[in-house]
Amino acid sequence: MKIAVLGTGYVGLSTGVCLSEIGHNVICIDTDEQKIKSLRQGISPIYEPGLENLLIQNAAAGRLLFTTSHREALNGAEIIIIAVGTPQMEDGGANLSYIVQAAKDIAANLVQSSVVVIKSTVPVGTNDFIKSIIEEHCNESVSFNMVSNPEFLRQGSAVMDTMQADRIIIGSENDEAAKKVQEMYRPLNVPFILTSIRSAEMIKYASNAFLATKISFINEVANLCGVVGADVKDVAKGMGKDKRIGEAFLQPGIGYGGSCFPKDVKALLHTANLNGVHFSLLKETVAINDFQQELLVTKAINRLGDLKGKKVAMLGLAFKPETDDMREAPSIKIARSLTKLGAEVVAYDPVAVDNAKNILGDTIRFASTVREAAVNADAVFIVTEWKEFRLLDLKTLMTTMRRPIVFDGRNCLEEDRIRECKKIEYYPIGRPAIVIGMT
Ligand SMILES: NC(=O)c1ccc[n+]([C@@H]2O[C@H](COP(=O)([O-])OP(=O)(O)OC[C@H]3O[C@@H](n4cnc5c(N)ncnc54)[C@H](O)[C@@H]3O)[C@@H](O)[C@H]2O)c1
């Protein structure tokens, strides 16, 4: 099939590359000339494991092209996938300006009948709205049908999640269009769930809101465990073995971040408000997350008192491991709180430093190794659970610090490694602290 993908961000690029990998002829369009230039050279503008290799292979096989021209891309496309951003607006609602522009771009360049698939996360009713925009602006002789096909991939494992998805949601009011999209995905051998367009739109928001709520729930349990002397690791294990609950998303930490959960929870709340539904559970999900993102700072104040002039080494900046994405990363809030309190912050991340510099500028310093960040520090904050941090030579690192104090916001350090240290104060989330050799 000939497929056009609008947007070469985390979703659009992963989708385009994977569809070419299963044999389709894919052309990816982006309005960002720099991105297209680098993609044409076989360089992925985002850090996503495995993506660049597949990109190079499929481009070399002639199945994957990149352009800034909607006209070129849409010519002959049987399926047009919209994967542009839908960021959050001030009032919490989703900003649909990119998707509206994409619709106009499609309408202006649609020269044959096609199926228009919205993969971007959009509020219920958006597919109908976008359909009306395309209808208004396109040539009367062409016909098209809409399909809502929300995306569930996770940054950091986008290729695997696309090739081995749990399910593919196809929301459509037209059987032919739904069949066409199923045909496109058939080689993946993933179960389809066919729904109405509005149900498909809602499935995405309800899923993300549920996962965010699960995170806030276990974070509250962890905070309580910390006070009453229970260990959240054991509690989560005991809960997760119950099949009705499941083990996923029961890891406590310093809250969710990223380009999806924060904005999608707020967009669903916004939809609920607009429709007179008081989704108070979601308001608490957000409030708990806001509190949790400040937790390490609160713990540091409780332990060290005034943070003015204290050096804090922040390990991890990206919102999660295996990505360079800094959107809504808890590290941003933490860094800003610490600097406001007069602390000196030196941060290290294996891949997200360049993106972090764009957001945090020179308010903090950036180190090129863990050791450089931690030397003479009064505390280490583990903010992102990169594998590199799990494997740290903790014993040596602690000897380079002014005070060997670790606040682990991701509970990612192994107890054995901590116990090897001659001197350490280790504070996880919802688990007993470990103090060795301190007077
Ligand atoms: N990032 C994720 O993990 C993830 C997962 C599931 C769903 N989603 C959803 O998918 C959508 C895309 O997210 P993303 O993270 O890939 O976004 P992104 O910001 O990384 O990428 C969007 C891209 O679209 C391009 N673009 C904007 N307008 C365009 C137009 N008219 N024509 C062509 N290109 C255009 C931009 O230049 C940009 O490169 C969002 O709705 C998001 O909520 C994201």
Side-chain angles (χ1 to χ4, degrees):
M1 268 187 210
K2 185 169 180 221
I3 298 158
V5 183
L6 272 76
T8 59
Y10 291 88
V11 168
L13 186 59
S14 307
T15 304
V17 167
C18 291
L19 288 175
S20 67
E21 174 69 12
I22 57 172
H24 297 298
N25 289 310
V26 179
I27 180 156
C28 296
I29 317 123
D30 206 291
T31 44
D32 185 330
E33 288 180 7
Q34 258 330 98
K35 277 192 183 176
I36 294 301
K37 199 173 157 205
S38 95
L39 286 164
R40 280 181 170 157
Q41 292 166 351
I43 302 165
S44 170
I46 52 169
Y47 176 82
E48 189 57 55
L51 188 64
E52 200 169 79
N53 276 348
L54 288 184
L55 188 165
I56 293 167
Q57 285 165 22
N58 285 288
R63 285 192 298 267
L64 182 61
L65 299 171
F66 299 98
T67 181
T68 52
S69 161
H70 290 84
R71 177 156 302 245
E72 180 192 347
L74 266 50
N75 187 11
E78 295 160 74
I79 295 183
I80 301 164
I81 300 176
I82 303 179
V84 302
T86 48
Q88 189 188 309
M89 292 197 299
E90 284 267 299
D91 64 0
N95 178 349
L96 298 181
S97 62
Y98 299 101
I99 210 153
V100 166
Q101 184 54 48
K104 290 180 181 166
D105 293 336
I106 292 170
N109 295 288
L110 198 58
V111 285
Q112 74 287 309
S113 298
S114 196
V115 177
V116 176
V117 173
I118 298 191
K119 188 169 265 306
S120 303
T121 303
V122 291
V124 176
T126 305
N127 273 263
D128 292 345
F129 171 53
I130 292 302
K131 184 178 186 199
S132 70
I133 293 176
I134 301 178
E135 271 168 354
E136 194 187 326
H137 292 88
C138 77
N139 188 318
E140 277 173 19
S141 64
V142 294
S143 69
F144 70 95
N145 280 295
M146 302 294 299
V147 167
S148 168
N149 170 226
E151 180 53 60
F152 299 91
L153 64 77
R154 297 161 298 174
Q155 286 172 224
S157 53
V159 172
M160 195 188 78
D161 290 349
T162 306
M163 302 302 265
Q164 299 166 32
D166 293 332
R167 77 303 203 191
I168 292 174
I169 306 291
I170 296 178
S172 177
E173 317 303 340
N174 179 287
D175 286 349
E176 284 307 306
K179 274 195 193 126
K180 187 94 187 164
V181 176
Q182 286 181 75
E183 203 187 313
M184 172 178 81
Y185 284 124
R186 189 92 56 204
L188 292 176
N189 207 13
V190 168
F192 294 115
I193 297 181
L194 304 179
T195 70
S196 70
I197 283 182
R198 285 178 179 241
S199 298
E201 290 170 328
M202 181 57 100
I203 286 168
K204 175 65 194 177
Y205 280 106
S207 301
N208 272 4
F210 184 81
L211 292 172
T213 302
K214 204 171 173 191
I215 292 172
S216 280
F217 184 87
I218 197 66
N219 281 338
E220 281 287 68
V221 170
N223 294 339
L224 189 55
C225 284
V227 179
V228 299
D231 183 335
V232 71
K233 190 176 177 202
D234 295 336
V235 173
K237 192 174 172 193
M239 288 169 66
K241 286 290 174 201
D242 184 328
K243 288 192 187 70
R244 294 168 304 174
I245 297 173
E247 289 175 34
F249 280 75
L250 285 183
Q251 290 77 36
I254 46 171
Y256 57 80
S259 67
C260 291
F261 286 170
K263 81 168 172 66
D264 291 350
V265 171
K266 287 189 183 138
L268 187 55
L269 261 174
H270 187 256
T271 302
N273 285 340
L274 285 180
N275 290 281
V277 174
H278 302 288
F279 208 149
S280 51
L281 177 65
L282 279 191
K283 288 185 192 150
E284 277 308 309
T285 295
V286 175
I288 293 164
N289 202 57
D290 287 344
F291 171 84
Q292 206 69 14
Q293 291 195 344
E294 294 284 352
L295 194 62
L296 294 190
V297 179
T298 311
K299 282 177 178 242
I301 294 171
N302 289 345
R303 170 61 185 85
L304 295 166
D306 189 357
L307 295 185
K308 197 161 184 224
K310 304 268 178 5
K311 178 179 171 185
V312 176
M314 247 177 59
L315 302 191
L317 289 158
F319 86 91
K320 67 172 187 176
E322 299 300 331
T323 184
D324 58 354
D325 198 351
M326 282 293 296
R327 288 178 286 186
E328 300 284 327
S331 63
I332 301 170
K333 214 178 199 178
I334 294 170
R336 288 188 176 142
S337 295
L338 286 171
T339 47
K340 210 169 158 189
L341 290 164
E344 179 200 359
V345 181
V346 184
Y348 167 78
D349 188 285
V351 299
V353 167
D354 287 345
N355 287 342
K357 281 181 180 166
N358 291 333
I359 297 169
L360 294 165
D362 51 14
T363 54
I364 66 168
R365 284 201 294 126
F366 296 93
S368 43
T369 60
V370 170
R371 193 187 160 88
E372 186 191 333
V375 69
N376 288 329
D378 295 283
V380 157
F381 280 19
I382 299 183
V383 175
T384 315
E385 65 276 38
W386 282 99
K387 193 173 169 200
E388 180 181 342
F389 304 154
R390 294 177 196 275
L391 303 176
L392 275 179
D393 177 0
L394 206 57
K395 197 174 163 186
T396 311
L397 193 74
M398 288 305 107
T399 63
T400 69
M401 293 177 65
R402 189 177 301 142
R403 295 176 226 232
I405 302 177
V406 178
F407 296 98
D408 185 353
R410 301 295 182 184
N411 287 2
C412 67
L413 297 190
E414 295 286 338
E415 193 167 331
D416 290 353
R417 282 179 182 269
I418 299 162
R419 296 213 177 270
E420 279 170 8
C421 299
K422 290 214 165 67
K423 248 181 150 191
I424 189 169
E425 268 182 60
Y426 173 76
Y427 297 99
I429 308 252
R431 308 194 63 198
I434 301 174
V435 180
I436 300 168
M438 305 292 277
T439 46

